[in-house]
Amino acid sequence: MFVGLGYDVHAFKKGRVLVLGGVKFKYPLGLDGHSDADVVIHALMDAILGAAGKSDIGTYFPNTSASYKGISSLELLKKVAAIIKKDSLKINNVDISVIAEKPKISASVSRMKTRIAGALGIKPQRVGIKATTNEGMGFIGRGEGIAAMAVASLSGIE
């Protein structure tokens, strides 16, 4: 069994759509980034790649490449799943923590799990998603952005 940890953070930006876990939120601000800036998926991709002993997502999907400009992070997650499959690895489960003051994500967690599971080819029950605030402290507490942490467990295909 192999375990990886991922972390990502993005600042809010006006004029962008907020996407978390592959789900679009009705919120006045989106996250700033080269792709759709889905902080949840970005942390998850790094966790999966780390568990497989690979480099971070910037190595595979550089923010200097026009081909990734505005791309759905779910599409990138599918590519990460294909990368580890080539190494005869499978995903056992993933667990994600979203750190944000707003928006509240509880009503969308089920859809987030379904979309992530679909991209990874696993059951939604193998995807954990929960949220917490930063108790008003720091840039997250001031409502300037969102962070996410993820853990992925992989095993070899026998």
Side-chain angles (χ1 to χ4, degrees):
M1 183 155 47
F2 311 97
V3 177
L5 175 67
Y7 173 82
D8 196 37
V9 61
H10 286 276
F12 281 121
K13 183 176 182 181
K14 290 182 181 179
R16 301 239 338 161
V17 174
L18 179 61
V19 181
L20 297 171
V23 174
K24 292 180 181 178
F25 283 75
K26 290 185 180 187
Y27 193 69
L29 301 169
L31 294 172
D32 192 15
H34 187 68
S35 65
D36 64 5
D38 188 332
V39 69
V40 172
I41 303 276
H42 292 186
L44 179 56
M45 289 188 295
D46 268 343
I48 293 167
L49 290 167
K54 305 288 186 187
S55 297
D56 63 29
I57 61 173
T59 302
Y60 293 93
F61 316 112
N63 65 6
T64 55
S65 173
S67 63
Y68 301 121
K69 179 79 173 156
I71 193 170
S72 165
S73 293
L74 281 174
E75 292 305 312
L76 300 178
L77 185 59
K78 290 175 187 176
K79 292 177 185 287
V80 166
I83 289 167
I84 66 157
K85 189 173 182 179
K86 287 181 185 175
D87 286 350
S88 298
L89 295 170
K90 70 171 189 161
I91 298 167
N92 298 322
N93 71 299
V94 299
D95 187 34
I96 305 153
S97 291
V98 181
I99 306 114
E101 299 300 313
K102 291 181 181 177
K104 300 300 182 195
I105 68 165
S106 58
S108 299
V109 166
S110 179
R111 287 186 305 153
M112 292 165 71
K113 286 182 171 194
T114 298
R115 294 204 176 142
I116 290 168
L120 294 175
I122 61 175
K123 295 179 181 179
Q125 301 92 308
R126 297 287 144 246
V127 178
I129 300 176
K130 55 226 171 295
T132 189
T133 69
N134 224 34
E135 300 293 329
M137 297 181 293
F139 74 92
I140 294 172
R142 290 188 300 269
E144 297 171 12
I146 296 178
M149 295 183 294
V151 176
S153 169
L154 310 180
S155 60
I157 298 172
E158 307 245 346

